[in-house]
Amino acid sequence: MNHNTPLSPLPLSHLADVQRRVLSSAQLRAHGVSAARTASQCRPGGPWQLLLPGVYLLHPGPPTSEERLHGVLLYAGRPVLPAQGEARSAPGFGEAMITGLAALALYQFSSAPPLLSLDRIDVLVPRTRRLRSTGCARLVRAHGMPRPKEITGVPVAPVPRALADAVTQVADPNAVRRLLTEAVRAGHCEPAAVVKELSRARLLSRPHVVGAVDSLLAEGRALAEERLYELVRTQQLPEPVWNVDLRLPGGPHLGGVDAYWPGQAVALELDTRAPRHGEDAQWSEQARKREHLERLGITVVHLTPKKLRESPEQQATVVRTALMAAVQRDPAAYVVVLPR
């Protein structure tokens, strides 16, 4: 017996019961179909067709979007055959996952083109995978594979990674800006995660990406501020003074804060910064400002956009606790509060 020998002499009609109409050569063998029989089925005018090397479409018509996705994954993934007792139609996607514009379409980005309009589907694979891009499959290699999210049975790269891979292929500045802005506005991810992936992909030096990132950070900042206003209102926190500068009387400027409760000497800052090359000095300045305020007896609360979005009640408790603890502290230094 060799690897082309069918495991059981089943008639081809039994494949009509297979849930997916795209199978790899290994899966066909597991269904009892020999390589010779597969080749016969794929002859001109035959009922099957070769979709990608080693991947077959079990009907003669054009593939659907779902079939193209499954075909690309079967081509790129290491063959994974079902264990004994499992359904023979289990897909063998291995570590492969959809990324780029196709992934964003699966996440239902309105700014991403529909799947059927994409000539090629990006698929993320480990860098050691020895395959080439071919047909509708474009391989994207990764040193470390992220944890995929499953959408309609398809493993999909996380949004930040998918965005970075999409931006690699998109040259239109407006299209890049729309993709990045939608990712934040629709709540798919935070700006910092996107910038991190763009930096990893060495895309931040591209002129059409720089402007899009600036818009992304501005959008993220605006959304975080809206969530902070809503937090104070819905969680019935005392109303602070918003967006103010703090100064010592007749002395130096201490820095700006997003919210300040003068009676309790509690300052709040939204940490909307995203790590970008060359900004270490800015990060150090932020740390020095916080240390200076705390030496003056002012409590500084830092909230991140992600925490505001995912756990607003918990963040309200953090702020409320800081306000309540003010009565137990020594009085803070007097500071002048000015609008920004």
Side-chain angles (χ1 to χ4, degrees):
M1 177 180 293
N2 59 39
H3 68 281
N4 288 331
T5 303
L7 299 181
S8 58
L10 296 174
L12 296 185
S13 59
H14 81 284
L15 291 178
D17 297 328
V18 176
Q19 183 178 8
R20 291 187 173 90
R21 302 303 304 277
V22 180
L23 293 178
S24 67
S25 55
Q27 289 172 326
L28 284 170
R29 287 197 301 272
H31 280 282
V33 183
S34 68
R37 194 69 183 277
T38 299
S40 174
Q41 293 292 109
C42 293
R43 288 175 180 171
W48 295 358
Q49 55 185 305
L50 182 67
L51 182 61
L52 287 163
V55 179
Y56 300 90
L57 187 63
L58 306 190
H59 63 77
T64 65
S65 295
E66 182 183 30
E67 288 168 343
R68 292 176 77 217
L69 290 170
H70 291 160
V72 165
L73 288 166
L74 285 173
Y75 170 70
R78 295 183 185 277
V80 178
L81 295 178
Q84 186 173 4
E86 292 182 350
R88 283 188 166 186
S89 58
F93 298 156
E95 295 180 276
M97 64 188 77
I98 301 299
T99 189
L101 289 171
L104 299 181
L106 288 170
Y107 281 112
Q108 299 185 340
F109 272 58
S110 61
S111 52
L115 283 171
L116 275 178
S117 71
L118 297 175
D119 294 329
R120 308 189 86 180
I121 295 174
D122 292 331
V123 56
L124 194 64
V125 297
R127 65 181 181 85
T128 55
R129 193 78 173 95
R130 294 185 177 180
L131 281 177
R132 294 182 178 181
S133 298
T134 185
C136 63
R138 179 165 49 212
L139 270 63
V140 180
R141 303 186 187 278
H143 288 275
M145 294 292 287
R147 183 185 297 275
K149 179 178 180 181
E150 187 172 303
I151 301 177
T152 64
V154 174
V156 184
V159 169
R161 175 69 206 226
L163 277 169
D165 291 332
V167 169
T168 302
Q169 304 296 332
V170 178
D172 180 5
N174 292 327
V176 172
R177 184 177 291 107
R178 286 193 296 269
L179 289 170
L180 299 188
T181 301
E182 182 174 354
V184 174
R185 185 176 295 167
H188 290 288
C189 57
E190 300 299 332
V194 178
V195 175
K196 180 180 179 181
E197 284 293 339
L198 293 175
S199 176
R200 179 203 53 76
R202 299 179 180 178
L203 294 170
L204 292 180
S205 60
R206 298 188 181 185
H208 72 286
V209 176
V210 172
V213 168
D214 289 339
S215 297
L216 167 76
L217 296 178
E219 180 73 22
R221 175 79 190 183
L223 285 174
E225 288 178 347
E226 290 178 8
R227 292 186 185 123
L228 179 58
Y229 298 149
E230 183 179 0
L231 180 80
V232 170
R233 182 177 64 254
T234 60
Q235 300 297 322
Q236 299 181 338
L237 294 170
E239 187 75 15
V241 287
W242 297 101
N243 296 314
V244 294
D245 278 322
L246 304 180
R247 289 180 181 272
L248 288 172
H253 173 241
L254 299 173
V257 295
D258 295 290
Y260 186 63
W261 287 265
Q264 295 86 2
V266 172
L268 186 147
E269 286 192 298
L270 285 172
D271 191 354
T272 58
R273 298 165 298 171
R276 288 197 279 182
H277 179 69
E279 292 191 353
D280 290 345
Q282 180 184 351
W283 284 60
S284 298
E285 180 60 31
Q286 292 288 338
R288 284 194 293 270
K289 179 180 75 172
R290 178 173 184 172
E291 291 172 1
H292 194 177
L293 291 175
E294 290 180 341
R295 283 199 301 270
L296 295 172
I298 297 173
T299 300
V300 182
V301 176
H302 275 257
L303 299 183
T304 66
K306 182 178 181 180
K307 289 180 179 178
L308 273 176
R309 175 168 60 90
E310 295 181 352
S311 56
E313 294 84 4
Q314 183 180 355
Q315 304 316 302
T317 299
V318 170
V319 176
R320 189 175 291 109
T321 300
L323 295 173
M324 293 174 61
V327 298
Q328 301 173 358
R329 301 195 315 265
D330 294 334
Y334 178 76
V335 296
V336 178
V337 182
L338 299 172
R340 275 201 285 187

